[in-house]
Amino acid sequence: MIVRIVSIAKNMKKNLFYFLLFFAGFLSSFAQSPMVFTRDQMVRNILEFHPVAQQAQLITEAGAMNVRKARGAFDPYLYGYLDEKQFDQKQYYQMLNTGLEIPTWFGIEVKAGLERTGGVYLNPENATPDAGLWYAGVSVPIGQGLFIDERRKTLRQAQIYSSATEAERQTILNDLLYDASVQYWEWVNAWNQVIVFTQAIELAQIGLDAVKESYFQGDKAAIDTVEALIQLQTLEVSLNEAQINYFNHTQGLSGYLWGKNNVPLDITDELVPPLFTDVPMISPLNADSVAMFISQIPEQHPDVRIYDYKLAALEVEKRWKKEQLKPALDLKYQFLTESTGADVINQFSTQNYKWGVSLSFPVFLRKARADLQLVNIYMQETMLSQSEKTLLLKNKAESYANQIANLRIQIEQFSRTLVNYERMLEAERQKFNIGESNLFLVNSRQNKLIDARLKWLDLNAKYQKSSVSLLWALGMMPL
């Protein structure tokens, strides 16, 4: 079993395979030996099951629903009202008005309906024929609202925000996978340190046994056995510290692993990290590609693109604020005809109509002008933030690319140094075996070799984390 479910069901044995499905890509059978858990497998699990990744997907769905909601402002709608008054056995008035109104993208509203009134005390201007009065006409904004109005502004901004949700989703995944990948390589490094101390203890135990045997044979002094025992005990303490560190990083990485139905997963001893000697030291991008992607940060990085969408939405807002500097001038015109006969449409006549015009205009325009200036200020703030973010990401990407190149050189150089440390230790052991050295020097050589191996592991961990950081700065996770 590779993972242990945190919340164990009563029928765990029956549903065990179900809980392990997320490892199906690399698990072909229930093996007893530990399985290597790669970063690619971790990324696949996070993208499919992690709650934050699922929330990121919901953001795009919410954006689509906001667009649908904004389109609802252009839906045709039925209207109608009936107002009647009866008093002292008299019908004072009865007024019925019902119809259909159709808003359009161009700001024009088309309206058609039936009006029928009657009653003893009905206002004469509201009087209609007994069968009622059909009407059909339009309402046209000639001033404010001709080119853009509140409905068109809301829909256009909803469309922009819907497009921005994809960039937001990429940003969330970029940050999530970056944090998880850094934690993963810390986990790998901690495991490799455990291996180093485990191997060193095995050799120290062999050395202690050999020194004891030599002491019993009279070839070595008793103090040499003490020296060998101290070395073994010191390494055991270091191993214990490395195991604690590995446990802590295991717990940290487990926090990123989830199964179906939002079931958190734990990493057990059956799942182990790879050895750094088995991890190819391959840069995610070559130098030419890095330079190209850095130049594309203003157009491609999701963190920067979000600012483009904000500016686009503010530009729509600015158009609407400018529109409010115009007077509100609306023209209404309706054809009228009596509700008689079956062919109502042909009964419409240009001689029967109703029209009107409305005008409103604030004298000082202080609110409209202030709103417009505020939008301009917000746009300037957004552009400044975008420029700062772009420069920050470019500098980070260049820094990480430089770190990768330098770490590669350091690892190659230190690999050769590590070989020399191993040679020095082997030579010191041979001298000790023939009586030309002492156990203190042998242990000193071994400690230096351990330090060198730990340093080599740290360099490899930094290299992998720098590679992940470069992809994050370029907005290219989950590569």
Side-chain angles (χ1 to χ4, degrees), residues 170-249:
Q170 293 177 6
T171 294
I172 292 173
L173 293 180
N174 199 45
D175 293 341
L176 174 63
L177 292 175
Y178 168 76
D179 293 338
S181 296
V182 169
Q183 181 63 54
Y184 175 82
W185 291 116
E186 292 285 358
W187 178 61
V188 173
N189 189 25
W191 170 253
N192 280 261
Q193 290 179 6
V194 171
I195 297 299
V196 168
F197 285 113
T198 300
Q199 294 176 345
I201 287 176
E202 293 175 355
L203 294 177
Q205 183 64 57
I206 294 174
L208 175 61
D209 294 340
V211 171
K212 286 182 178 179
E213 182 66 23
S214 298
Y215 165 72
F216 291 136
Q217 294 179 1
D219 295 334
K220 301 294 182 184
I223 194 64
D224 286 338
T225 62
V226 176
E227 179 74 23
L229 179 61
I230 291 175
Q231 176 71 0
L232 177 62
Q233 293 172 336
T234 302
L235 290 174
E236 287 175 342
V237 172
S238 298
L239 174 61
N240 181 258
E241 294 176 349
Q243 289 172 334
I244 293 174
N245 185 48
Y246 172 68
F247 173 80
N248 292 335
H249 286 297

Coordinates of all heavy atoms in Angstrom, one line a residue, residues 170-249:
Q170 N -4.7 30.0 -13.8 CA -3.3 29.7 -14.0 C -2.4 30.2 -12.9 O -1.4 29.6 -12.5 CB -2.8 30.3 -15.4 CG -3.5 29.6 -16.5 CD -3.1 30.2 -17.9 OE1 -2.2 31.1 -17.9 NE2 -3.7 29.8 -18.9
T171 N -2.7 31.4 -12.4 CA -1.9 32.0 -11.3 C -2.0 31.1 -10.0 O -1.0 30.9 -9.4 CB -2.4 33.4 -11.0 OG1 -2.1 34.3 -12.1 CG2 -1.7 34.0 -9.8
I172 N -3.2 30.7 -9.7 CA -3.4 29.9 -8.5 C -2.7 28.6 -8.7 O -2.0 28.1 -7.7 CB -4.9 29.6 -8.3 CG1 -5.6 30.9 -8.0 CG2 -5.2 28.5 -7.3 CD1 -7.2 30.8 -7.9
L173 N -2.8 27.9 -9.8 CA -2.0 26.6 -10.0 C -0.5 26.9 -10.1 O 0.2 26.0 -9.6 CB -2.5 26.0 -11.4 CG -3.9 25.5 -11.4 CD1 -4.2 24.9 -12.8 CD2 -4.2 24.5 -10.3
N174 N -0.1 28.0 -10.6 CA 1.3 28.3 -10.7 C 1.9 28.4 -9.3 O 2.9 27.8 -8.9 CB 1.5 29.6 -11.4 CG 3.0 29.8 -11.9 OD1 3.6 28.9 -12.5 ND2 3.5 31.0 -11.7
D175 N 1.2 29.1 -8.4 CA 1.6 29.2 -7.0 C 1.5 27.9 -6.2 O 2.4 27.6 -5.4 CB 0.8 30.3 -6.3 CG 1.1 31.7 -6.9 OD1 2.1 31.9 -7.5 OD2 0.2 32.6 -6.6
L176 N 0.4 27.2 -6.4 CA 0.2 26.0 -5.7 C 1.3 24.9 -6.1 O 1.9 24.3 -5.2 CB -1.2 25.4 -6.0 CG -1.5 24.0 -5.5 CD1 -1.5 24.0 -4.0 CD2 -2.9 23.5 -6.0
L177 N 1.5 24.8 -7.3 CA 2.5 23.8 -7.8 C 3.9 24.2 -7.4 O 4.8 23.3 -7.2 CB 2.4 23.5 -9.3 CG 1.1 22.8 -9.7 CD1 1.0 22.7 -11.2 CD2 1.0 21.4 -9.1
Y178 N 4.2 25.5 -7.4 CA 5.5 25.9 -6.9 C 5.7 25.6 -5.5 O 6.8 25.0 -5.1 CB 5.6 27.4 -7.1 CG 6.8 28.0 -6.4 CD1 8.1 27.9 -7.0 CD2 6.7 28.7 -5.2 CE1 9.2 28.4 -6.3 CE2 7.8 29.3 -4.6 CZ 9.0 29.1 -5.2 OH 10.1 29.6 -4.5
D179 N 4.8 25.9 -4.6 CA 4.9 25.5 -3.2 C 5.1 24.0 -3.0 O 5.9 23.6 -2.2 CB 3.7 26.1 -2.4 CG 3.7 27.6 -2.4 OD1 4.7 28.2 -2.6 OD2 2.5 28.1 -2.2
A180 N 4.3 23.3 -3.7 CA 4.3 21.8 -3.6 C 5.7 21.3 -4.1 O 6.2 20.3 -3.5 CB 3.2 21.2 -4.3
S181 N 6.2 21.8 -5.2 CA 7.4 21.3 -5.8 C 8.6 21.6 -4.9 O 9.5 20.8 -4.7 CB 7.6 21.9 -7.1 OG 6.6 21.5 -8.0
V182 N 8.6 22.8 -4.3 CA 9.7 23.2 -3.3 C 9.7 22.2 -2.1 O 10.7 21.7 -1.7 CB 9.5 24.6 -2.9 CG1 10.5 24.9 -1.7 CG2 9.8 25.6 -4.0
Q183 N 8.4 21.9 -1.6 CA 8.3 21.0 -0.5 C 8.8 19.6 -0.9 O 9.4 18.9 -0.2 CB 6.9 21.0 0.0 CG 6.6 20.0 1.1 CD 7.4 20.4 2.4 OE1 7.3 21.6 2.8 NE2 8.2 19.5 2.9
Y184 N 8.5 19.2 -2.2 CA 8.9 17.9 -2.7 C 10.4 17.7 -2.7 O 10.9 16.7 -2.2 CB 8.3 17.7 -4.1 CG 8.8 16.4 -4.8 CD1 8.1 15.2 -4.5 CD2 9.9 16.4 -5.6 CE1 8.6 14.0 -5.1 CE2 10.3 15.2 -6.2 CZ 9.7 14.0 -5.9 OH 10.1 12.9 -6.5
W185 N 11.1 18.7 -3.2 CA 12.6 18.6 -3.3 C 13.2 18.7 -1.9 O 14.3 18.1 -1.6 CB 13.1 19.7 -4.2 CG 12.8 19.4 -5.6 CD1 12.0 20.2 -6.5 CD2 13.1 18.2 -6.4 NE1 11.9 19.6 -7.7 CE2 12.6 18.4 -7.7 CE3 13.9 17.1 -6.1 CZ2 12.7 17.4 -8.7 CZ3 14.1 16.1 -7.1 CH2 13.5 16.3 -8.4
E186 N 12.6 19.4 -0.9 CA 13.0 19.4 0.4 C 12.9 17.9 1.0 O 13.7 17.4 1.7 CB 12.2 20.4 1.3 CG 12.5 21.8 1.0 CD 13.8 22.3 1.5 OE1 14.5 21.5 2.2 OE2 14.2 23.5 1.3
W187 N 11.7 17.3 0.7 CA 11.5 15.9 1.1 C 12.5 15.0 0.5 O 13.1 14.1 1.2 CB 10.1 15.6 0.6 CG 9.6 14.2 0.9 CD1 9.5 13.6 2.1 CD2 9.2 13.2 0.0 NE1 9.0 12.3 2.0 CE2 8.8 12.0 0.7 CE3 9.1 13.2 -1.4 CZ2 8.4 10.9 0.1 CZ3 8.6 12.0 -2.0 CH2 8.3 10.9 -1.3
V188 N 12.8 15.2 -0.8 CA 13.8 14.3 -1.4 C 15.2 14.5 -0.8 O 15.9 13.5 -0.5 CB 13.9 14.6 -2.9 CG1 15.1 13.9 -3.6 CG2 12.6 14.3 -3.6
N189 N 15.6 15.7 -0.5 CA 16.9 16.0 0.1 C 16.9 15.4 1.5 O 18.0 14.8 1.9 CB 17.1 17.5 0.2 CG 18.5 17.9 0.6 OD1 19.4 17.2 0.4 ND2 18.6 19.1 1.2
A190 N 15.9 15.5 2.3 CA 15.9 14.9 3.6 C 16.0 13.4 3.6 O 16.8 12.8 4.4 CB 14.6 15.3 4.3
W191 N 15.4 12.8 2.6 CA 15.5 11.3 2.5 C 17.0 10.9 2.1 O 17.5 10.0 2.6 CB 14.6 10.8 1.4 CG 14.8 9.4 1.0 CD1 15.3 8.9 -0.2 CD2 14.5 8.2 1.8 NE1 15.3 7.5 -0.2 CE2 14.8 7.1 1.0 CE3 13.9 8.0 3.1 CZ2 14.6 5.8 1.5 CZ3 13.8 6.7 3.5 CH2 14.1 5.6 2.8
N192 N 17.5 11.7 1.2 CA 18.9 11.4 0.7 C 19.9 11.6 1.9 O 20.9 10.8 2.0 CB 19.3 12.2 -0.4 CG 18.8 11.7 -1.8 OD1 19.5 11.1 -2.5 ND2 17.5 12.0 -2.0
Q193 N 19.6 12.5 2.8 CA 20.5 12.7 3.9 C 20.4 11.5 4.9 O 21.4 11.1 5.5 CB 20.1 14.0 4.7 CG 20.5 15.2 3.9 CD 20.1 16.5 4.7 OE1 19.6 16.5 5.8 NE2 20.3 17.7 4.0
V194 N 19.2 11.0 5.0 CA 19.0 9.8 5.8 C 19.8 8.6 5.3 O 20.4 7.9 6.0 CB 17.5 9.4 5.9 CG1 17.3 8.0 6.5 CG2 16.7 10.4 6.7
I195 N 19.8 8.5 3.9 CA 20.6 7.4 3.3 C 22.1 7.6 3.6 O 22.8 6.6 3.8 CB 20.3 7.4 1.8 CG1 18.8 7.1 1.5 CG2 21.2 6.4 1.1 CD1 18.4 5.8 2.0
V196 N 22.5 8.8 3.5 CA 24.0 9.1 3.7 C 24.4 8.6 5.1 O 25.4 7.9 5.3 CB 24.3 10.6 3.5 CG1 25.7 10.9 4.1 CG2 24.2 11.0 2.1
F197 N 23.6 9.0 6.1 CA 23.9 8.7 7.5 C 23.7 7.2 7.8 O 24.5 6.6 8.5 CB 23.1 9.5 8.5 CG 23.6 10.9 8.6 CD1 22.8 12.0 8.2 CD2 24.8 11.2 9.2 CE1 23.2 13.3 8.3 CE2 25.2 12.5 9.3 CZ 24.4 13.6 8.8
T198 N 22.7 6.6 7.1 CA 22.5 5.1 7.3 C 23.7 4.4 6.7 O 24.2 3.4 7.4 CB 21.2 4.7 6.5 OG1 20.1 5.4 7.1 CG2 21.0 3.2 6.7
Q199 N 24.2 4.7 5.6 CA 25.4 4.1 5.0 C 26.6 4.3 5.9 O 27.4 3.4 6.0 CB 25.6 4.6 3.6 CG 24.5 4.1 2.6 CD 24.7 4.7 1.2 OE1 25.5 5.7 1.0 NE2 23.9 4.2 0.3
A200 N 26.7 5.6 6.4 CA 27.9 5.9 7.2 C 27.9 5.0 8.5 O 29.0 4.6 9.0 CB 27.9 7.4 7.5
I201 N 26.7 4.8 9.1 CA 26.6 4.0 10.3 C 27.0 2.6 10.0 O 27.6 1.9 10.8 CB 25.2 4.2 10.9 CG1 25.0 5.5 11.5 CG2 24.9 3.1 11.9 CD1 23.6 5.8 12.0
E202 N 26.5 2.1 8.9 CA 26.9 0.7 8.5 C 28.4 0.5 8.4 O 29.0 -0.4 8.9 CB 26.3 0.3 7.2 CG 24.7 0.2 7.2 CD 24.1 0.0 5.9 OE1 24.9 0.0 4.9 OE2 22.9 -0.2 5.8
L203 N 29.1 1.5 7.8 CA 30.5 1.4 7.7 C 31.2 1.6 9.1 O 32.2 1.0 9.4 CB 31.0 2.5 6.7 CG 30.6 2.3 5.3 CD1 31.1 3.5 4.4 CD2 31.2 1.0 4.7
A204 N 30.6 2.5 9.9 CA 31.2 2.8 11.2 C 31.0 1.5 12.1 O 31.9 1.2 12.9 CB 30.5 4.0 11.9
Q205 N 29.9 0.8 11.9 CA 29.7 -0.4 12.7 C 30.7 -1.5 12.3 O 31.3 -2.2 13.1 CB 28.3 -0.9 12.5 CG 28.0 -2.2 13.3 CD 28.0 -1.9 14.8 OE1 27.3 -1.0 15.3 NE2 28.8 -2.7 15.5
I206 N 30.9 -1.6 11.0 CA 32.0 -2.5 10.5 C 33.3 -2.2 11.0 O 34.1 -3.0 11.4 CB 32.0 -2.5 8.9 CG1 30.6 -3.1 8.4 CG2 33.1 -3.4 8.4 CD1 30.5 -3.0 6.9
G207 N 33.6 -0.8 11.0 CA 34.9 -0.4 11.5 C 35.1 -0.7 13.0 O 36.1 -1.1 13.5
L208 N 34.0 -0.5 13.8 CA 34.0 -0.8 15.2 C 34.3 -2.2 15.5 O 35.1 -2.6 16.3 CB 32.7 -0.3 15.9 CG 32.6 -0.6 17.4 CD1 33.7 0.0 18.2 CD2 31.2 -0.2 17.9
D209 N 33.6 -3.1 14.7 CA 33.8 -4.5 14.9 C 35.2 -4.9 14.5 O 35.8 -5.8 15.2 CB 32.8 -5.3 14.0 CG 31.4 -5.1 14.4 OD1 31.1 -4.7 15.6 OD2 30.5 -5.3 13.6
A210 N 35.8 -4.3 13.5 CA 37.1 -4.6 13.1 C 38.1 -4.2 14.1 O 39.1 -4.9 14.4 CB 37.4 -4.0 11.7
V211 N 37.9 -3.0 14.7 CA 38.8 -2.5 15.8 C 38.7 -3.3 17.0 O 39.8 -3.6 17.6 CB 38.5 -1.0 16.1 CG1 39.3 -0.5 17.3 CG2 38.8 -0.1 14.9
K212 N 37.5 -3.8 17.4 CA 37.4 -4.7 18.5 C 38.2 -6.0 18.3 O 38.9 -6.5 19.2 CB 35.9 -5.0 18.8 CG 35.1 -3.8 19.4 CD 33.7 -4.3 19.7 CE 32.9 -3.2 20.3 NZ 31.5 -3.6 20.6
E213 N 38.0 -6.5 17.1 CA 38.8 -7.7 16.8 C 40.3 -7.5 16.8 O 41.0 -8.4 17.4 CB 38.3 -8.2 15.4 CG 39.0 -9.5 15.0 CD 38.5 -10.7 15.8 OE1 37.4 -10.6 16.4 OE2 39.2 -11.7 15.9
S214 N 40.7 -6.4 16.3 CA 42.1 -6.1 16.4 C 42.6 -5.9 17.8 O 43.7 -6.3 18.2 CB 42.5 -4.9 15.6 OG 42.1 -5.0 14.2
Y215 N 41.7 -5.3 18.7 CA 42.1 -5.1 20.1 C 42.3 -6.5 20.8 O 43.2 -6.7 21.5 CB 41.0 -4.3 20.8 CG 41.1 -4.3 22.3 CD1 42.1 -3.7 22.9 CD2 40.1 -5.0 23.0 CE1 42.2 -3.7 24.3 CE2 40.2 -5.1 24.4 CZ 41.2 -4.4 25.0 OH 41.3 -4.5 26.4
F216 N 41.3 -7.4 20.5 CA 41.4 -8.7 21.1 C 42.6 -9.5 20.7 O 43.1 -10.3 21.4 CB 40.1 -9.5 20.8 CG 38.9 -9.0 21.5 CD1 37.7 -8.8 20.8 CD2 38.9 -8.6 22.9 CE1 36.6 -8.4 21.5 CE2 37.8 -8.1 23.5 CZ 36.6 -7.9 22.8
Q217 N 43.0 -9.2 19.5 CA 44.2 -9.8 18.9 C 45.5 -9.1 19.4 O 46.6 -9.6 19.1 CB 44.2 -9.9 17.4 CG 43.1 -10.8 16.9 CD 43.0 -10.9 15.4 OE1 43.8 -10.3 14.7 NE2 42.0 -11.6 14.9
G218 N 45.3 -8.0 20.0 CA 46.5 -7.2 20.5 C 47.1 -6.3 19.5 O 48.2 -5.7 19.8
D219 N 46.4 -6.1 18.4 CA 47.0 -5.2 17.4 C 46.6 -3.7 17.6 O 47.3 -2.8 17.1 CB 46.5 -5.6 16.0 CG 47.0 -7.0 15.6 OD1 48.1 -7.4 16.1 OD2 46.3 -7.7 14.8
K220 N 45.5 -3.4 18.3 CA 45.1 -2.1 18.5 C 44.9 -1.8 20.0 O 44.7 -2.7 20.8 CB 43.7 -1.8 17.8 CG 43.8 -2.0 16.3 CD 44.7 -1.0 15.6 CE 44.7 -1.2 14.1 NZ 45.6 -0.3 13.4
A221 N 45.1 -0.5 20.3 CA 44.9 -0.1 21.7 C 43.4 0.0 22.1 O 42.6 0.1 21.2 CB 45.6 1.2 22.0
A222 N 43.1 -0.1 23.4 CA 41.7 -0.1 23.8 C 41.1 1.3 23.5 O 39.9 1.3 23.3 CB 41.7 -0.3 25.4
I223 N 41.9 2.3 23.5 CA 41.3 3.7 23.2 C 40.8 3.8 21.8 O 39.9 4.5 21.5 CB 42.4 4.7 23.5 CG1 41.8 6.1 23.5 CG2 43.5 4.7 22.4 CD1 40.8 6.3 24.7
D224 N 41.3 2.9 20.9 CA 40.8 2.9 19.5 C 39.4 2.4 19.5 O 38.6 2.9 18.7 CB 41.7 2.0 18.7 CG 43.0 2.7 18.3 OD1 43.1 3.9 18.4 OD2 44.0 2.0 18.0
T225 N 39.0 1.5 20.4 CA 37.6 1.0 20.4 C 36.7 2.1 20.9 O 35.6 2.3 20.4 CB 37.5 -0.2 21.3 OG1 37.8 0.1 22.6 CG2 38.4 -1.4 20.8
V226 N 37.2 2.9 21.8 CA 36.4 4.1 22.3 C 36.2 5.1 21.2 O 35.1 5.6 21.0 CB 37.1 4.7 23.5 CG1 36.3 5.9 24.0 CG2 37.2 3.7 24.7
E227 N 37.3 5.3 20.5 CA 37.2 6.3 19.4 C 36.2 5.8 18.3 O 35.4 6.6 17.8 CB 38.6 6.4 18.7 CG 38.7 7.4 17.5 CD 38.6 8.8 17.9 OE1 38.9 9.1 19.1 OE2 38.2 9.7 17.1
A228 N 36.2 4.5 18.0 CA 35.3 4.0 17.0 C 33.9 4.0 17.5 O 32.9 4.3 16.7 CB 35.7 2.5 16.7
L229 N 33.7 3.8 18.8 CA 32.3 3.8 19.4 C 31.8 5.2 19.4 O 30.6 5.4 19.1 CB 32.4 3.2 20.8 CG 31.0 3.2 21.5 CD1 30.0 2.4 20.8 CD2 31.2 2.7 23.0
I230 N 32.6 6.2 19.7 CA 32.2 7.6 19.7 C 31.7 8.0 18.3 O 30.7 8.7 18.1 CB 33.3 8.5 20.2 CG1 33.5 8.3 21.7 CG2 33.0 10.0 19.9 CD1 34.7 9.1 22.2
Q231 N 32.5 7.6 17.3 CA 32.1 7.9 15.9 C 30.8 7.3 15.5 O 29.9 7.9 14.9 CB 33.2 7.3 14.9 CG 32.9 7.5 13.4 CD 33.0 8.9 13.0 OE1 33.3 9.8 13.8 NE2 32.7 9.2 11.7
L232 N 30.5 6.0 16.0 CA 29.3 5.4 15.7 C 28.1 6.1 16.4 O 27.1 6.3 15.8 CB 29.3 3.9 16.1 CG 28.0 3.1 15.9 CD1 27.6 3.0 14.5 CD2 28.2 1.7 16.5
Q233 N 28.3 6.4 17.7 CA 27.3 7.1 18.4 C 27.0 8.5 17.8 O 25.8 8.9 17.8 CB 27.7 7.2 19.9 CG 27.8 5.9 20.6 CD 28.3 6.0 22.0 OE1 29.1 6.9 22.3 NE2 28.0 5.0 22.8
T234 N 28.0 9.2 17.4 CA 27.8 10.5 16.8 C 26.9 10.4 15.5 O 26.0 11.2 15.3 CB 29.1 11.2 16.5 OG1 29.9 11.3 17.8 CG2 28.9 12.6 15.9
L235 N 27.3 9.4 14.7 CA 26.5 9.2 13.5 C 25.1 8.8 13.8 O 24.2 9.2 13.1 CB 27.2 8.2 12.6 CG 28.6 8.6 12.0 CD1 29.2 7.4 11.3 CD2 28.4 9.8 11.1
E236 N 24.9 8.0 14.8 CA 23.5 7.6 15.2 C 22.7 8.8 15.6 O 21.5 8.9 15.3 CB 23.6 6.6 16.3 CG 24.0 5.2 15.9 CD 24.2 4.3 17.0 OE1 24.3 4.7 18.2 OE2 24.3 3.0 16.8
V237 N 23.3 9.8 16.3 CA 22.6 11.0 16.7 C 22.2 11.8 15.4 O 21.1 12.3 15.3 CB 23.4 11.9 17.7 CG1 22.8 13.2 17.9 CG2 23.6 11.1 19.0
S238 N 23.2 11.9 14.5 CA 23.0 12.6 13.3 C 21.9 12.0 12.4 O 21.0 12.6 11.8 CB 24.2 12.7 12.5 OG 25.2 13.4 13.2
L239 N 21.9 10.6 12.4 CA 20.8 9.9 11.7 C 19.4 10.2 12.3 O 18.5 10.4 11.6 CB 21.1 8.4 11.7 CG 20.0 7.5 11.1 CD1 19.8 7.9 9.6 CD2 20.3 6.0 11.3
N240 N 19.4 10.2 13.6 CA 18.1 10.5 14.3 C 17.6 11.9 13.9 O 16.4 12.1 13.7 CB 18.3 10.4 15.8 CG 17.0 10.7 16.6 OD1 16.8 11.7 17.1 ND2 16.1 9.7 16.6
E241 N 18.5 12.9 13.9 CA 18.1 14.2 13.5 C 17.6 14.2 12.0 O 16.7 14.9 11.7 CB 19.3 15.2 13.7 CG 19.6 15.4 15.1 CD 20.9 16.3 15.3 OE1 21.5 16.6 14.3 OE2 21.2 16.7 16.4
A242 N 18.3 13.5 11.2 CA 17.9 13.4 9.8 C 16.6 12.8 9.6 O 15.8 13.2 8.8 CB 19.0 12.7 8.9
Q243 N 16.3 11.8 10.4 CA 15.0 11.1 10.3 C 13.9 12.0 10.8 O 12.8 12.0 10.2 CB 15.1 9.8 11.2 CG 15.9 8.7 10.6 CD 16.1 7.5 11.5 OE1 16.0 7.7 12.8 NE2 16.4 6.3 11.0
I244 N 14.1 12.8 11.8 CA 13.1 13.7 12.3 C 12.9 14.8 11.2 O 11.7 15.1 10.9 CB 13.6 14.4 13.6 CG1 13.6 13.4 14.7 CG2 12.7 15.6 13.9 CD1 14.2 14.0 16.0
N245 N 13.9 15.2 10.6 CA 13.8 16.2 9.5 C 13.0 15.6 8.3 O 12.1 16.3 7.7 CB 15.2 16.7 9.0 CG 15.1 17.8 8.0 OD1 14.4 18.8 8.1 ND2 15.9 17.6 6.9
Y246 N 13.3 14.3 8.0 CA 12.6 13.7 6.9 C 11.1 13.5 7.3 O 10.2 13.7 6.4 CB 13.2 12.3 6.6 CG 12.4 11.5 5.7 CD1 12.3 11.8 4.3 CD2 11.8 10.3 6.1 CE1 11.6 11.1 3.4 CE2 11.1 9.5 5.2 CZ 11.0 9.9 3.9 OH 10.3 9.1 3.0
F247 N 10.8 13.2 8.5 CA 9.4 13.0 8.9 C 8.7 14.3 8.8 O 7.5 14.3 8.3 CB 9.4 12.5 10.4 CG 8.0 12.5 11.0 CD1 7.1 11.4 10.7 CD2 7.5 13.5 11.8 CE1 5.9 11.4 11.2 CE2 6.3 13.5 12.3 CZ 5.4 12.4 12.0
N248 N 9.3 15.4 9.2 CA 8.6 16.7 9.1 C 8.3 17.1 7.7 O 7.2 17.6 7.3 CB 9.5 17.8 9.8 CG 9.6 17.6 11.3 OD1 8.7 17.0 11.9 ND2 10.7 18.1 11.9
H249 N 9.3 16.8 6.8 CA 9.1 17.1 5.4 C 8.0 16.2 4.7 O 7.3 16.6 3.8 CB 10.4 17.1 4.6 CG 11.3 18.3 4.9 ND1 10.9 19.6 4.5 CD2 12.5 18.4 5.4 CE1 11.8 20.4 4.9 NE2 12.8 19.7 5.4

